[in-house]
């Protein structure tokens, strides 16, 4: 993922202009939450004002909301997960074939997860635990934890805040970037703003640009 500057207005227009029903299992709403029931296959699930819940073993194509969170249980499948204002959280062994993205909200992916695209936020922490991520990590002001046993291909990029982000308010605190025990980040780690970077002695990372890594050997990274 070369950039996370996706258009909020285009996302909203796409949801509002989408046909209400494209196939029998598609679900599209303007106001209201959506539940993809356990073990069932679905097409696209989309809402503007509401959360999306994907129960254990369910599969969806694109899961998209504007104002709402996405909560996925264990063993789910999806083509992509995206929201504008809300968090995204997936349990164990989630498979996402494309991207996982939010603007204002955190992202957490649990043990055994596999993501074929990238993971991106503007304001919001990113946390991975034993996750295989093919498309890299991007953020502007979020903390990033590449937790124990995770494997990230595509590097990490923390972008410099810009006036182009208006009307999104950017958190000006320094992001905290932690590469945990046994984690691997292939590709360059590029920091366009000041960050606190911690890399475990047993982790492996690519070239670092824009920051100096602090090594640590304890189970958790030092507190700032």
């Amino acid at each position: 993922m070369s950039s996370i500057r996706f258009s909020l207005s285009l996302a909203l227009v796409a949801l509002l202009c989408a046909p209400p029903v494209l196939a029998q299992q598609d679900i599209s709403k303007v106001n209201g939450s959506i539940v993809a029931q356990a073990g069932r296959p679905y097409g696209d699930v989309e809402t503007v004002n509401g959360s999306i819940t994907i129960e254990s073993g369910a599969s969806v194509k694109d899961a998209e909301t504007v104002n709402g969170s996405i909560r996925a249980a264990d063993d789910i499948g999806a083509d992509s997960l995206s929201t504008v204002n809300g968090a995204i959280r997936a349990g164990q062994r989630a498979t996402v074939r494309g991207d996982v993205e939010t603007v204002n909200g955190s992202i957490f992916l649990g043990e055994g997860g596999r993501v074929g695209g990238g993971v991106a936020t503007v304001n919001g922490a990113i946390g991975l635990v034993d996750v295989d991520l093919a498309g890299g990590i991007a953020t502007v002001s979020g903390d990033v934890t590449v937790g124990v046993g995770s494997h990230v291909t595509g590097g990490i990029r923390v972008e410099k805040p810009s006036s182009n982000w208006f009307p999104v308010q950017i958190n000006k605190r320094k992001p905290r970037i932690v590469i945990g025990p046994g984690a691997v980040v292939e590709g360059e780690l590029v920091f366009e703003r000041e960050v606190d970077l911690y890399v475990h002695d047993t982790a492996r990372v690519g070239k670092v640009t824009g920051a100096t890594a602090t090594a640590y050997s304890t189970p958790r990274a030092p507190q700032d």
Side-chain angles (χ1 to χ4, degrees):
M1 182 185 305
S2 61
S3 175
I4 60 172
R5 291 184 172 89
F6 55 91
S7 169
L8 306 189
S9 60
L10 286 179
L12 179 57
V13 169
L15 287 176
L16 291 174
C17 295
V21 177
L22 300 179
Q24 185 174 3
Q25 292 296 327
D26 289 5
I27 304 174
S28 181
K29 295 183 177 182
V30 174
N31 295 306
S33 296
I34 294 173
V35 177
Q37 295 180 349
R40 292 182 55 184
Y42 292 82
D44 294 334
V45 291
E46 302 173 341
T47 184
V48 177
N49 297 305
S51 63
I52 296 174
T53 299
I54 306 172
E55 295 183 340
S56 180
S59 64
V60 302
K61 292 184 178 179
D62 296 326
E64 300 180 0
T65 182
V66 176
N67 296 307
S69 62
I70 298 176
R71 297 183 292 271
D74 297 340
D75 301 303
I76 67 96
D79 285 350
S80 67
L81 305 174
S82 64
T83 182
V84 177
N85 297 306
I88 299 174
R89 185 178 182 91
Q92 298 180 352
R93 300 175 299 277
T95 298
V96 181
R97 290 168 285 278
D99 296 331
V100 180
E101 297 179 320
T102 182
V103 176
N104 296 308
S106 62
I107 294 174
F108 176 81
L109 304 175
E111 293 178 89
R114 300 181 65 88
V115 179
V119 170
T121 69
V122 177
N123 295 309
I126 295 171
L128 312 177
V129 179
D130 190 20
V131 170
D132 286 335
L133 173 61
I137 294 171
T139 188
V140 176
S141 65
D143 294 342
V144 175
T145 300
V146 181
V148 57
S150 293
H151 189 159
V152 175
T153 304
I156 297 173
R157 178 176 292 271
V158 177
E159 297 184 7
K160 183 179 179 180
S162 168
S163 58
N164 293 335
W165 283 108
F166 181 83
V168 178
Q169 297 297 316
I170 303 299
N171 191 330
K172 295 183 179 181
R173 59 174 289 276
K174 285 194 300 183
R176 174 181 168 89
I177 314 299
V178 176
I179 314 300
V184 176
V185 179
E186 298 185 34
E188 194 169 1
L189 287 72
V190 178
F191 303 105
E192 299 176 358
R193 60 178 299 188
E194 188 177 5
V195 302
D196 291 318
L197 173 62
Y198 299 94
V199 179
H200 196 272
D201 288 342
T202 62
R204 179 164 58 88
V205 300
K207 179 183 177 182
V208 177
T209 301
T212 299
T214 298
Y216 73 101
S217 57
T218 53
R220 296 182 179 273
Q223 294 300 310
D224 299 335

